[in-house]
Amino acid sequence: MIRTRLPALALLLLLPASGCGLVESALGGFAITVPSESMEPTIKKGSRLTVRRTDDYVPRVGDIVVYRTPQGWSGATAGAQRVGRVIGVPESTVSCCDDKGRVELNRAPLEEPYLMSPPASYVAFEVKVPRGRLWIMNDNRHVALDSRRYSDAPDGGTVGVADVMGVVDAPARQEVSGG
């Protein structure tokens, strides 16, 4: 009889805790609320995301990550959490734009169906991403303050791979991109 009450008791304790983030923390993740429209249309302002913590993050182009704002980004609080999309991985070259307004990754056009609106950037740039660093851009490029905005900062607007706190879980990514 005690065995049947124990799961019910655990469920009663976990339900309220899940809203506080305790379950996510216990399972190696955390939740954040997106404060701006910089990732629209993929992630709407005010959306709550479940993020999988990453201790040994291996970057992939297209990952949506939560990262710590680098030191030296003018007007930004160093260490604050931000959400963005990995566009350039270590030792890749990212440039903008080709004759169709697309970002190029290693001289090949990057297909970005998630963009709010073309062109991929009004700001022309070319950057060789240093080893251990990432080039981050948001999906709503015309309002976002991403790596392009901080290209004059130390490390040229790149973000350290070690500053990635987590990756947005695939189920959450599908949920928010559908609407």
Side-chain angles (χ1 to χ4, degrees):
M1 186 112 102
I2 293 176
R3 288 185 187 184
T4 58
R5 288 184 186 173
L6 188 56
L9 179 60
L11 184 60
L12 286 174
L13 292 174
L14 285 177
L15 282 176
S18 66
C20 299
L22 296 175
V23 172
E24 289 98 346
S25 293
L27 298 175
F30 60 99
I32 65 164
T33 300
V34 178
S36 75
E37 64 275 355
S38 67
M39 281 302 291
E40 290 183 358
T42 307
I43 302 171
K44 301 287 183 208
K45 179 180 179 177
S47 294
R48 188 157 173 83
L49 304 177
T50 301
V51 181
R52 180 178 32 87
R53 286 195 191 281
T54 54
D55 292 329
D56 296 321
Y57 176 58
V58 177
R60 294 180 331 194
V61 173
D63 282 349
I64 297 175
V65 297
V66 175
Y67 62 97
R68 289 178 201 87
T69 303
Q71 191 78 26
W73 280 21
S74 177
T77 304
Q81 292 179 351
R82 287 185 178 222
V83 178
R85 187 180 295 274
V86 175
I87 300 297
V89 295
E91 300 186 18
S92 63
T93 300
V94 183
S95 60
C96 193
C97 286
D98 72 1
D99 59 350
K100 294 183 180 175
R102 298 175 296 189
V103 164
E104 292 182 311
L105 181 62
N106 298 323
R107 306 283 181 241
L110 189 59
E111 293 303 322
E112 299 183 286
Y114 43 77
L115 288 182
M116 181 68 142
S117 61
S121 177
Y122 287 127
V123 178
F125 63 88
E126 180 166 327
V127 63
K128 170 84 171 158
V129 182
R131 179 175 281 153
R133 313 283 307 170
L134 302 170
W135 185 260
I136 304 283
M137 294 174 74
N138 294 75
D139 295 356
N140 192 353
R141 306 261 167 90
H142 307 306
V143 301
L145 299 177
D146 53 30
S147 288
R148 297 167 301 152
R149 164 66 173 83
Y150 301 102
S151 60
D152 61 344
D155 296 312
T158 61
V159 173
V161 172
D163 288 325
V164 172
M165 301 168 65
V167 177
V168 174
D169 280 336
R173 193 180 308 165
Q174 292 169 357
E175 175 184 315
V176 295
S177 64

